[in-house]
Amino acid sequence: MKTFSVVTSGLLFALASTSTLAAQYDITNQDHWVLTNKDVGGAQPFKIEQTVLHGGKQDGVKVLTVDNGVMTITLIPTRGMDIYQVKSGDITLGWKSPVKQHVNPKFINLEDRNGLGWLEGFNEMMVRCGFEWTGHPGEDKGVMLTLHGRADYTPASQVLVTVDEKAPYAIHIRGELLEQLFKKVNFQTWTELSVIPGKKEFKIHDQLTNKGDYPHEYQVIYHSNFAQPLLEAGAKIEAPVKQISPFNDYAKQGLQDWQTYLGPTRGFDEMVYNIYPYANKKGNTLAVLHNRKATKGMAIHYNVHELPVLGLWKNTDTIGQGYVTGIEPGTSFSYNRSYQRDLDLVPTIGAHQKKDFHLTYQILDGKHAVTEQVNTVKSIQGQQKTELRKDPLVKGENL
Amino acid sequence: MKTFSVVTSGLLFALASTSTLAAQYDITNQDHWVLTNKDVGGAQPFKIEQTVLHGGKQDGVKVLTVDNGVMTITLIPTRGMDIYQVKSGDITLGWKSPVKQHVNPKFINLEDRNGLGWLEGFNEMMVRCGFEWTGHPGEDKGVMLTLHGRADYTPASQVLVTVDEKAPYAIHIRGELLEQLFKKVNFQTWTELSVIPGKKEFKIHDQLTNKGDYPHEYQVIYHSNFAQPLLEAGAKIEAPVKQISPFNDYAKQGLQDWQTYLGPTRGFDEMVYNIYPYANKKGNTLAVLHNRKATKGMAIHYNVHELPVLGLWKNTDTIGQGYVTGIEPGTSFSYNRSYQRDLDLVPTIGAHQKKDFHLTYQILDGKHAVTEQVNTVKSIQGQQKTELRKDPLVKGENL
Amino acid sequence: MKTFSVVTSGLLFALASTSTLAAQYDITNQDHWVLTNKDVGGAQPFKIEQTVLHGGKQDGVKVLTVDNGVMTITLIPTRGMDIYQVKSGDITLGWKSPVKQHVNPKFINLEDRNGLGWLEGFNEMMVRCGFEWTGHPGEDKGVMLTLHGRADYTPASQVLVTVDEKAPYAIHIRGELLEQLFKKVNFQTWTELSVIPGKKEFKIHDQLTNKGDYPHEYQVIYHSNFAQPLLEAGAKIEAPVKQISPFNDYAKQGLQDWQTYLGPTRGFDEMVYNIYPYANKKGNTLAVLHNRKATKGMAIHYNVHELPVLGLWKNTDTIGQGYVTGIEPGTSFSYNRSYQRDLDLVPTIGAHQKKDFHLTYQILDGKHAVTEQVNTVKSIQGQQKTELRKDPLVKGENL
């Protein structure tokens, strides 16, 4: 057993876990930081790099890239540790938002435009919507809730990089998000992204702790967004579905075709669907998105005991407006919190309790990989029925 | 033909335009940067310098000064590329706002105090009010519009300095302003200030591009503000006027005397007038402000096809409160956008369309220079009548 | 008479006051700065140090510590020059807020959650609530006033450190806070904290100047917050009281026991009391807080001509929620400004007038020191009656 020495300016801790000893770096304050497999002695090549942006509303934003040899993941620690995009060969997970800058939260007022300030920086592949609340803006219990909560606009207060000493030499990127307001909320979330050199998947394990002495409502949506080359006319989503319903009246017309996508469509705007998924005995389930030919795709694995519902956001408007689909495991749908209590989708976390959320994102490169995951979907669905509910769960003119 | 080498830390591009080859520097990230004629080989002396401010709400604000040998222009890239002031001998364009700091947008919430957050940093000689909207705060189409839009609180995402290789060796300062919000707006504005060494004038050429795939309303006011030594008791504004009307009931009493100014006047607050100007056949027109003796002045040249109206803001309150007049060519007056649609002053920019705005600001030092521009005003006005409309265009108690 | 030379990077001024010559350092821009008695030649040891924080919402926050040999004071220049905590031996002035970060104002929108954004950074021992207004959020004169004004979220625009040349070699930390909004307010406050090496007390002298040409309302509360080891079950507050009344209906039940404190109490939330204090002939008065055994305490001395009222905030909820009491000399109580005009607690400051506020905070270590200050309280109270007013001064369901 040995501890690694660090050649860069990050701090070093020696972590003894059950199985591995790891080199850990606190890179919270690093404006330029690089770590490669050569620094820690591993054979499997990887490179982790943190830089800082300048100019416009990007000023001071930290960008962290993890290249594991076969896949490059770009994280934005200043924006809630969100994942900007993932690239692997000719597959990109992510989308082309009209918002081009990685916007620093310091420039944003989330209450702008009736609570839509969040949209001023929305361009990531994976955004945590939570943890105090999620969903559409609007008043709940006399307070204006802004779109999709505040986690995405919470700069990480600590960013730690760990590389396991033993095979498979997993890389862990951990970030601490604090949602604290005297008397109102005291949430700490340790986000974690783990990736193994040479493997085309990554895991998310977030742990929310209610550090307050009283119970508190919480919500989270893992707003995961995809476009070309996976999304195109004829692209398909596969998921084991117990019930699917339109988010609002406008989405009714697309209910029958929920599984397939249109190409970029002028004036389409967005159709949203609410899905109650089936899962296996352990609660594990997944959603798969693949291109028309089923040669490229991605799968999100999650657990319904942690994240009981799945939002499906079909935003197949023009390319320039942001042609994108959101596949969104969550505790909740995208309605304002005030509508979700009756749906039993506003859980409570007890004082000092912890809630864990695990997701695995896989890149599916090739017909075989896609088929394999589609088959997993089918095996979970089995002979169970899918209910297409014609009416939205929540009534409202402007939902 | 030769390209210049750069001795400073800015980046170099070789730009071949129709007439000149230019040295271009990307100074977006430069905290201290200097360029003089010696760096690029020109004989006519100039100095361009960028620095960064610290302390209070100025923290991180970039200040860019252009000294062209006879005139020093101070720009604030962090505040929408606005012009803080222009100095030439004993003439200053600008004013003494009670707001002393160059306020960084990161500290400001524009929705503060019913949409008046903009006033927390207002102290410039020329502020772009736009481009998504302009005018007084208030609700329009269910959304709170904050005072005078967001451009002034948009830090430039790129700042480029270009010096032409050939005579007259013009200096161009270009800044990119992005107003982007997913689904709502996707405006890019390239602002440009051009100045020729040795000449007491500068040109603004802004180009707004609607990068969205749908048409969008836009508005802009070039809020240009002047005080001593041009503004004083008996100072005068000259402009070819088709119709002038009071902005609100309070301004009615000053309508007859719209062309002349009071000295600092306790309790005066402000009177605002709406002007429809005359222009020449090409649409060119101007406004002139000069001191009582007509020995010092300034002229703004603009084109009514781009900027059809002129706002006149007479804020001749005490010196300490900010004794100032605004002479404001625009697409619109200063009413809330909701009032201006009926006045046909809320134009639309098509998808991917561009709108150009050209203004020339001249320093008039001496009776001859003033007279020359006043004569231009007279020649445009000619025998055409000026209508003094007694009632405001828009009715409202608190306008 | 000699002037000191400076070994650090701060600027030097030679200040000739009536009694002393001082070395003055402008440390506004210093990210790391240290001054000790050795730098200025004094024998009595002290150390002053400024650093800058990184990570999360602390990014860019300056922290200034003053160690005078027997006491360490931590100030936060970026947060209105507020005092985070004071430590001396086993006595700490301050509290353990659930808010752990020193939050940079650039991340905060004070209007959030109906005007409660202020709570997102509240963790200091002494916070200035003012100067434009103070008190609970809510509408006044058509404008939303946010909780406790803006001073705490105003980064100091200048920070000056002065060390007197002559005995007792007092250290002065001065910070300039600007509350400026065109047409609305033009307040400058020079805050000053003074401390003498070797002495367990410090003085605050703030000077508010209305730099505007018109009179303006102002308010301030010196929100001074204490917890363990002074606060505990049986801890006591002593003050000469003319009248005390409950802030709201909930506080009525604790009126009789206003002088003593509970230990951490689940579900207690907060009880607030409004005190009109007695003072001596010069207007001087004080409040003392001490532990159950009266062996540890602190005293705040202030003057009722400057600060006529005293707020008492008993927030003896659980430790984790922030077990704390606020002892708050002020111009005003904590009601929204709209309620305080009728109470004659919204004073006006004339154009260019100055208002001074003097407070002295003493650490009382030992029974003797506590008794001495309690006796001062008793001597001011004398035979004068204390009225326990049963009903709140202001009626309202949600106060």
Side-chain angles (χ1 to χ4, degrees):
Chain A
M1 205 167 86
K2 83 173 213 236
T3 56
F4 296 106
S5 64
V6 181
V7 297
T8 53
S9 52
L11 298 174
L12 172 68
F13 299 88
L15 292 185
S17 77
T18 48
S19 61
T20 60
L21 188 76
Q24 178 165 304
Y25 308 83
D26 182 340
I27 64 166
T28 313
N29 302 352
Q30 303 298 325
D31 281 351
H32 194 85
W33 180 87
V34 178
L35 186 80
T36 73
N37 56 302
K38 290 174 186 169
D39 297 318
V40 294
Q44 189 74 22
F46 71 80
K47 183 181 183 185
I48 312 172
E49 181 167 14
Q50 184 165 269
T51 56
V52 65
L53 301 178
H54 298 281
K57 292 188 174 167
Q58 301 197 131
D59 179 65
V61 167
K62 290 200 168 66
V63 175
L64 179 56
T65 56
V66 181
D67 178 349
N68 78 339
V70 297
M71 182 174 66
T72 303
I73 303 172
T74 305
L75 294 132
I76 314 291
T78 310
R79 292 179 54 81
M81 298 299 298
D82 289 337
I83 302 171
Y84 173 60
Q85 69 173 19
V86 180
K87 277 182 172 264
S88 177
D90 60 356
I91 295 183
T92 298
L93 306 187
W95 59 299
K96 294 209 171 85
S97 171
V99 173
K100 295 306 176 200
Q101 299 179 92
H102 299 291
V103 172
N104 195 320
K106 70 188 179 186
F107 289 113
I108 300 302
N109 169 15
L110 293 174
E111 292 202 347
D112 267 356
R113 310 183 197 227
N114 301 333
L116 292 182
W118 190 91
L119 294 174
E120 209 170 319
F122 178 43
N123 62 11
E124 289 102 334
M125 180 243 131
M126 196 280 276
V127 183
R128 289 169 184 85
C129 303
F131 287 89
E132 203 179 345
W133 69 80
T134 195
H136 282 199
E139 203 173 298
D140 181 28
K141 296 183 169 178
V143 175
M144 160 61 110
L145 302 185
T146 60
L147 176 63
H148 282 328
R150 300 170 62 99
D152 187 31
Y153 286 81
T154 301
S157 39
Q158 290 186 70
V159 182
L160 307 176
V161 174
T162 310
V163 181
D164 290 347
E165 194 195 25
K166 294 186 180 173
Y169 307 103
I171 298 161
H172 309 277
I173 312 290
R174 299 175 69 226
E176 183 196 38
L177 307 183
L178 295 173
E179 296 176 74
Q180 299 180 321
L181 192 85
F182 179 62
K183 280 188 187 290
K184 303 296 177 189
V185 62
N186 191 352
F187 280 0
Q188 177 198 51
T189 304
W190 271 104
T191 70
E192 181 175 21
L193 177 143
S194 298
V195 65
I196 289 169
K199 227 174 152 183
K200 293 188 180 178
E201 67 174 43
F202 59 91
K203 291 179 187 298
I204 299 292
H205 172 204
D206 292 351
Q207 187 174 65
L208 165 67
T209 304
N210 176 9
K211 300 190 73 136
D213 285 344
Y214 300 112
H216 203 288
E217 291 181 339
Y218 75 98
Q219 293 183 297
V220 66
I221 292 174
Y222 286 85
H223 203 307
S224 310
N225 309 302
F226 309 95
Q228 307 90 328
L230 308 192
L231 186 64
E232 61 183 349
K236 230 178 146 185
I237 176 171
E238 302 265 9
V241 173
K242 188 174 180 186
Q243 187 198 72
I244 181 168
S245 58
F247 186 83
N248 55 17
D249 287 342
Y250 174 59
K252 284 181 183 178
Q253 59 190 291
L255 180 61
Q256 290 297 333
D257 305 319
W258 72 271
Q259 265 196 285
T260 54
Y261 288 93
L262 297 177
T265 304
R266 193 165 188 79
F268 184 85
D269 197 9
E270 62 181 31
M271 291 190 189
V272 179
Y273 299 93
N274 297 331
I275 293 172
Y276 287 97
Y278 285 117
N280 71 14
K281 285 179 183 170
K282 292 180 175 172
N284 293 324
T285 189
L286 77 163
V288 177
L289 174 73
H290 63 73
N291 66 350
R292 189 175 56 82
K293 293 184 178 170
T295 54
K296 293 170 186 173
M298 76 85 217
I300 308 177
H301 300 257
Y302 61 101
N303 190 291
V304 295
H305 301 318
E306 298 171 350
L307 303 166
V309 300
L310 181 71
L312 171 58
W313 175 50
K314 299 173 88 174
N315 194 76
T316 50
D317 207 293
T318 66
I319 303 256
Q321 294 296 112
Y323 178 67
V324 60
T325 184
I327 296 175
E328 313 172 6
T331 60
S332 314
F333 295 125
S334 283
Y335 298 114
N336 186 271
R337 193 180 64 188
S338 62
Y339 298 126
Q340 301 209 55
R341 266 187 216 93
D342 287 346
L343 300 176
D344 209 19
L345 296 176
V346 187
T348 293
I349 180 169
H352 303 282
Q353 207 184 333
K354 292 174 192 299
K355 296 285 179 185
D356 292 274
F357 309 102
H358 297 81
L359 302 97
T360 300
Y361 291 77
Q362 290 179 303
I363 288 178
L364 309 176
D365 55 347
K367 208 150 192 121
H368 178 73
V370 171
T371 303
E372 193 174 48
Q373 295 306 318
V374 170
N375 286 341
T376 308
V377 170
K378 286 179 181 162
S379 78
I380 293 175
Q381 180 86 40
Q383 299 304 315
Q384 300 173 100
K385 288 272 167 62
T386 293
E387 179 195 354
L388 270 66
R389 180 191 154 107
K390 284 179 191 166
D391 291 315
L393 297 169
V394 168
K395 306 279 180 204
E397 284 181 21
N398 296 307
L399 290 175
Chain B
M1 204 167 86
K2 82 174 214 233
T3 55
F4 296 105
S5 64
V6 180
V7 297
T8 53
S9 52
L11 298 174
L12 172 68
F13 299 89
L15 292 185
S17 76
T18 47
S19 60
T20 60
L21 188 75
Q24 179 165 303
Y25 307 83
D26 182 341
I27 63 166
T28 312
N29 302 351
Q30 303 298 325
D31 281 351
H32 194 84
W33 180 87
V34 178
L35 186 80
T36 73
N37 56 302
K38 290 174 187 169
D39 297 319
V40 295
Q44 191 74 20
F46 72 81
K47 184 181 182 184
I48 311 172
E49 183 168 12
Q50 183 165 270
T51 56
V52 65
L53 301 178
H54 298 282
K57 293 190 175 166
Q58 301 197 131
D59 179 66
V61 166
K62 290 202 168 66
V63 174
L64 179 56
T65 56
V66 182
D67 178 349
N68 78 339
V70 297
M71 183 174 66
T72 302
I73 303 172
T74 305
L75 295 132
I76 315 291
T78 310
R79 292 179 53 81
M81 298 301 297
D82 288 337
I83 302 171
Y84 173 61
Q85 68 173 21
V86 179
K87 276 181 171 265
S88 176
D90 60 356
I91 294 182
T92 297
L93 307 187
W95 59 299
K96 294 209 170 85
S97 170
V99 174
K100 296 305 177 200
Q101 299 179 91
H102 298 291
V103 172
N104 194 322
K106 71 188 178 187
F107 289 112
I108 300 302
N109 169 14
L110 293 173
E111 292 202 348
D112 267 356
R113 308 184 199 229
N114 301 333
L116 293 182
W118 191 91
L119 294 174
E120 209 170 318
F122 178 43
N123 63 11
E124 290 101 335
M125 181 243 129
M126 195 280 274
V127 183
R128 289 168 183 86
C129 303
F131 288 88
E132 202 179 345
W133 68 80
T134 195
H136 282 199
E139 202 173 300
D140 181 28
K141 297 182 169 179
V143 176
M144 160 61 111
L145 303 184
T146 59
L147 177 63
H148 283 327
R150 299 171 63 99
D152 188 30
Y153 286 81
T154 301
S157 40
Q158 290 186 72
V159 181
L160 306 176
V161 175
T162 310
V163 181
D164 291 347
E165 193 196 27
K166 294 187 181 172
Y169 306 103
I171 297 161
H172 308 277
I173 312 290
R174 300 175 68 225
E176 183 195 38
L177 307 183
L178 294 173
E179 294 176 75
Q180 299 180 321
L181 192 86
F182 179 63
K183 280 190 185 289
K184 302 296 177 187
V185 63
N186 191 352
F187 280 0
Q188 177 198 52
T189 304
W190 272 104
T191 69
E192 182 176 21
L193 177 143
S194 298
V195 65
I196 289 168
K199 229 174 151 183
K200 294 189 180 178
E201 68 173 46
F202 59 92
K203 290 178 188 298
I204 298 293
H205 171 203
D206 291 351
Q207 187 174 64
L208 165 67
T209 303
N210 176 8
K211 300 191 73 137
D213 284 343
Y214 300 112
H216 203 289
E217 291 182 339
Y218 75 98
Q219 294 184 297
V220 65
I221 292 174
Y222 286 85
H223 203 306
S224 310
N225 310 302
F226 309 96
Q228 308 91 327
L230 307 192
L231 186 64
E232 60 183 349
K236 231 179 145 184
I237 176 172
E238 302 265 8
V241 173
K242 189 173 180 187
Q243 186 198 73
I244 181 168
S245 58
F247 185 84
N248 55 17
D249 288 342
Y250 174 60
K252 283 181 182 178
Q253 61 190 292
L255 180 62
Q256 290 295 332
D257 304 319
W258 72 271
Q259 267 195 287
T260 54
Y261 287 93
L262 297 177
T265 305
R266 194 166 188 79
F268 184 85
D269 198 9
E270 61 180 34
M271 291 190 188
V272 179
Y273 298 93
N274 296 331
I275 292 172
Y276 287 96
Y278 285 117
N280 71 12
K281 285 179 183 169
K282 292 180 173 171
N284 293 323
T285 187
L286 76 164
V288 177
L289 174 73
H290 63 73
N291 66 349
R292 189 175 55 81
K293 292 184 178 170
T295 53
K296 292 170 185 171
M298 76 85 217
I300 307 177
H301 300 258
Y302 62 101
N303 189 291
V304 295
H305 301 318
E306 297 171 350
L307 303 166
V309 300
L310 181 71
L312 172 58
W313 175 50
K314 300 173 87 173
N315 194 76
T316 51
D317 208 293
T318 66
I319 303 255
Q321 293 296 111
Y323 178 68
V324 58
T325 184
I327 297 175
E328 312 172 6
T331 59
S332 315
F333 295 125
S334 284
Y335 297 114
N336 185 271
R337 192 179 65 187
S338 61
Y339 298 126
Q340 301 211 54
R341 267 187 216 93
D342 287 346
L343 300 176
D344 210 18
L345 294 176
V346 187
T348 293
I349 181 168
H352 303 282
Q353 206 184 334
K354 292 173 192 299
K355 295 285 178 184
D356 292 273
F357 309 103
H358 297 81
L359 302 97
T360 300
Y361 291 77
Q362 291 178 304
I363 288 178
L364 310 176
D365 56 347
K367 208 153 192 119
H368 178 73
V370 172
T371 304
E372 194 174 48
Q373 295 306 318
V374 170
N375 285 340
T376 307
V377 170
K378 286 179 180 162
S379 78
I380 292 174
Q381 180 85 39
Q383 299 304 314
Q384 300 172 99
K385 288 269 168 62
T386 293
E387 177 195 356
L388 270 66
R389 179 191 155 106
K390 285 179 189 166
D391 291 316
L393 298 169
V394 168
K395 307 281 180 203
E397 282 180 21
N398 296 309
L399 289 175
Chain C
M1 205 168 86
K2 82 173 214 231
T3 56
F4 296 106
S5 64
V6 181
V7 296
T8 54
S9 51
L11 297 176
L12 172 68
F13 300 88
L15 293 185
S17 75
T18 48
S19 60
T20 61
L21 187 76
Q24 178 165 303
Y25 307 82
D26 182 341
I27 63 166
T28 313
N29 302 351
Q30 303 299 324
D31 281 351
H32 193 85
W33 180 87
V34 178
L35 187 80
T36 73
N37 56 301
K38 291 175 185 169
D39 297 318
V40 295
Q44 190 74 22
F46 71 81
K47 184 182 182 184
I48 312 172
E49 181 167 14
Q50 184 165 269
T51 56
V52 66
L53 301 178
H54 298 282
K57 292 189 175 168
Q58 302 197 132
D59 178 66
V61 166
K62 290 200 168 67
V63 174
L64 179 56
T65 56
V66 181
D67 177 349
N68 79 339
V70 296
M71 183 175 66
T72 302
I73 304 173
T74 304
L75 295 131
I76 315 291
T78 310
R79 292 179 54 82
M81 299 300 298
D82 287 337
I83 302 171
Y84 173 60
Q85 69 174 19
V86 180
K87 277 181 171 266
S88 177
D90 60 356
I91 295 183
T92 297
L93 306 187
W95 59 300
K96 294 209 170 84
S97 171
V99 174
K100 295 306 176 200
Q101 299 180 92
H102 299 291
V103 172
N104 194 322
K106 70 187 178 188
F107 289 112
I108 300 302
N109 168 16
L110 293 174
E111 292 201 348
D112 266 355
R113 308 183 198 229
N114 301 333
L116 293 182
W118 190 91
L119 294 175
E120 210 169 320
F122 178 43
N123 62 11
E124 290 101 335
M125 179 244 132
M126 195 280 275
V127 183
R128 289 168 184 86
C129 304
F131 288 90
E132 201 179 347
W133 69 80
T134 194
H136 282 199
E139 202 173 300
D140 182 28
K141 296 183 168 179
V143 176
M144 160 61 111
L145 303 185
T146 60
L147 176 63
H148 282 327
R150 300 170 61 99
D152 187 30
Y153 286 81
T154 301
S157 40
Q158 290 186 70
V159 182
L160 306 176
V161 174
T162 310
V163 182
D164 290 347
E165 194 196 25
K166 294 187 180 171
Y169 306 103
I171 297 162
H172 309 277
I173 312 289
R174 300 175 69 225
E176 183 196 38
L177 307 182
L178 295 173
E179 295 176 74
Q180 298 181 322
L181 191 86
F182 179 62
K183 280 190 186 289
K184 302 296 176 188
V185 62
N186 191 351
F187 280 0
Q188 177 198 51
T189 303
W190 272 104
T191 69
E192 182 176 20
L193 176 143
S194 298
V195 65
I196 289 168
K199 229 175 150 182
K200 293 188 180 177
E201 67 173 46
F202 59 92
K203 290 178 188 298
I204 299 292
H205 172 204
D206 292 349
Q207 186 174 65
L208 165 67
T209 303
N210 176 7
K211 301 191 73 136
D213 284 344
Y214 300 111
H216 203 289
E217 291 181 340
Y218 75 98
Q219 292 183 298
V220 66
I221 290 174
Y222 287 85
H223 203 307
S224 309
N225 310 302
F226 310 95
Q228 308 91 327
L230 307 192
L231 187 64
E232 60 183 349
K236 231 180 145 184
I237 176 170
E238 302 265 9
V241 173
K242 188 173 179 186
Q243 186 198 72
I244 181 168
S245 57
F247 186 83
N248 54 17
D249 288 342
Y250 174 59
K252 284 180 182 179
Q253 60 190 293
L255 179 62
Q256 290 296 332
D257 305 320
W258 73 270
Q259 267 195 286
T260 54
Y261 288 93
L262 297 178
T265 305
R266 194 165 187 78
F268 184 85
D269 197 8
E270 61 181 32
M271 291 190 187
V272 179
Y273 299 93
N274 297 330
I275 293 173
Y276 287 96
Y278 286 117
N280 72 12
K281 285 180 182 170
K282 291 181 174 169
N284 294 322
T285 189
L286 76 164
V288 177
L289 173 73
H290 63 72
N291 66 350
R292 189 175 55 83
K293 292 184 178 170
T295 54
K296 293 171 186 171
M298 77 86 218
I300 307 177
H301 299 257
Y302 61 102
N303 189 291
V304 296
H305 300 318
E306 298 171 350
L307 301 166
V309 300
L310 181 71
L312 172 58
W313 175 50
K314 299 173 87 172
N315 194 76
T316 51
D317 208 293
T318 66
I319 303 255
Q321 293 296 111
Y323 178 68
V324 59
T325 184
I327 296 175
E328 313 172 6
T331 60
S332 314
F333 294 126
S334 283
Y335 297 115
N336 186 270
R337 191 178 67 188
S338 62
Y339 298 125
Q340 301 211 55
R341 265 186 217 94
D342 287 346
L343 300 176
D344 209 19
L345 294 176
V346 187
T348 293
I349 180 168
H352 303 282
Q353 206 184 333
K354 292 174 192 301
K355 295 284 179 186
D356 292 275
F357 309 103
H358 297 81
L359 302 98
T360 301
Y361 292 78
Q362 291 178 304
I363 288 178
L364 310 176
D365 55 347
K367 210 154 190 113
H368 177 74
V370 171
T371 304
E372 193 174 49
Q373 295 305 319
V374 170
N375 286 340
T376 308
V377 170
K378 287 180 178 161
S379 77
I380 292 174
Q381 181 86 38
Q383 299 305 315
Q384 302 173 99
K385 290 269 169 62
T386 292
E387 178 195 354
L388 270 67
R389 180 191 154 108
K390 286 179 190 167
D391 292 316
L393 298 168
V394 167
K395 307 280 180 203
E397 284 180 21
N398 297 308
L399 289 175

